[in-house]
Amino acid sequence: MAHPSQLGFQDAASPIMEELLHFHDHTLMAVFLISTLVLYIITIMMTTKLTNTNSVDAQEIEMVWTIMPAIILIMIALPSLRILYLMDEVNDPHLTIKAIGHQWYWSYEYTNYEDLSFDSYMTPTNDLTPGQFRLLEVDNRMVVPMESPTRLLVTAEDVLHSWAVPSLGVKTDAIPGRLNQTSFIATRPGVFYGQCSEICGANHSFMPIVVEAVPLTDFENWSSSMLEA
C-alpha cells in the first residue's frame, strides 16, 4: 500500500515485481550516468570554451557517440527482454481466475470451481470501517493462496478496462470479446490494492481491485464458505 510522501514503488509481493524493481534501478542508474556525463561535458565547454575541432578528432567523436549508445541500449534491452519472457510464461498454474470488467465494477470467476463466482463493488465511503481505505476497499475481495502460481484471464463486458495491482507487478488490459492472460505468485500474505488503469467512463476511479493472499488452508476454508453461501 502506498503512503504519503512515498518515493519509489510499493513493496514487491511477487517475483515479477521484484524483477521489475531491479530493472528500474538498473535503468535509472544508466540514465543518471548519462545525465552526469552530458552535464560534465557541457560544463567543460562553457568554462574552458572548448569549441575548436582540433582538440579531439572528429572521427574519434563519431565513434564514441555511436558505440557508447549502442552498448547502453544493449545493457537495457537484455534484462528487459528477459523480464518480458518471464511475464508471459504460465507454468502449471494451481488456480485460474477470470476477471471481467464492467462499468464500473469487477466480476471474478474461479474456473477450478463450478459455482464460485461473485461481483466486487467499491465500498461506499459511509460504509467504511476504521482501517479501511477510501476508494480502494471492496465488498468482495479476490482471495488467492499465497506461494501458488495463479493464472488470470482478463476480459471486459462493455468498454476497455485494465486490471492492475502494482504490488504484484500485474497490469493487463480488459478488452471486450478477447481474453488476455497473465500470471502471478503472491510470495507473502497480505492485502494488495489496485484500480482500473484505463479511462473507462465517468466512474472510472470507482472500480478498485483488492487481492487478498492467504495461506492455502485459509483459502480452502474461504472457498468452502463461498460455495456454501
Side-chain angles (χ1 to χ4, degrees):
M1 181 64 191
H3 56 80
S5 303
Q6 174 179 329
L7 294 177
F9 294 95
Q10 300 180 24
D11 293 337
S14 68
I16 290 297
M17 190 59 193
E18 292 179 1
E19 293 286 343
L20 291 174
L21 289 179
H22 293 319
F23 176 69
H24 170 266
D25 296 340
H26 169 77
T27 308
L28 187 63
M29 183 56 65
V31 172
F32 175 76
L33 292 177
I34 294 171
S35 301
T36 304
L37 178 61
V38 172
L39 181 62
Y40 172 75
I41 295 176
I42 292 176
T43 304
I44 291 298
M45 293 180 64
M46 293 178 62
T47 56
T48 62
K49 297 182 180 180
L50 186 61
T51 57
N52 56 348
T53 57
N54 296 327
S55 57
V56 181
D57 185 63
Q59 186 175 358
E60 295 178 359
I61 295 179
E62 291 180 2
M63 291 180 61
V64 170
W65 72 37
T66 302
I67 295 175
M68 288 300 294
I71 295 175
I72 293 171
L73 289 176
I74 292 174
M75 292 174 58
I76 295 176
L78 292 180
S80 175
L81 291 174
R82 174 178 173 272
I83 296 175
L84 286 175
Y85 279 107
L86 289 175
M87 295 176 68
D88 286 338
E89 289 184 359
V90 182
N91 296 322
D92 191 22
H94 297 174
L95 181 68
T96 300
I97 303 174
K98 184 178 180 181
I100 306 172
H102 307 269
Q103 288 184 318
W104 285 272
Y105 65 97
W106 293 95
S107 296
Y108 298 104
E109 298 177 1
Y110 287 67
T111 60
N112 300 80
Y113 302 85
E114 185 176 353
D115 297 320
L116 182 51
S117 61
F118 54 87
D119 297 331
S120 180
Y121 290 88
M122 186 190 74
T123 303
T125 303
N126 295 333
D127 297 336
L128 293 174
T129 60
Q132 292 184 330
F133 298 100
R134 177 178 173 270
L135 301 182
L136 288 178
E137 194 56 64
V138 297
D139 55 357
N140 292 311
R141 296 173 174 176
M142 191 185 91
V143 181
V144 297
M146 57 176 289
E147 298 181 348
S148 295
T150 301
R151 174 170 53 192
L152 187 69
L153 304 176
V154 183
T155 187
E157 189 181 61
D158 34 47
V159 298
L160 293 177
H161 299 280
S162 183
W163 200 91
V165 180
S167 295
L168 297 174
V170 178
K171 184 178 184 295
T172 304
D173 290 336
I175 303 173
R178 175 177 176 178
L179 279 178
N180 285 333
Q181 176 178 268
T182 187
S183 64
F184 63 88
I185 301 175
T187 55
R188 56 184 173 88
V191 180
F192 312 110
Y193 296 89
Q195 289 179 306
C196 174
S197 296
E198 189 75 36
I199 300 179
C200 55
N203 293 330
H204 154 70
S205 57
F206 302 106
M207 52 182 304
I209 302 163
V210 181
V211 179
E212 183 175 359
V214 298
L216 182 59
T217 54
D218 294 341
F219 175 78
E220 292 175 346
N221 295 333
W222 172 83
S223 60
S224 298
S225 63
M226 291 291 290
L227 290 172
E228 292 175 358

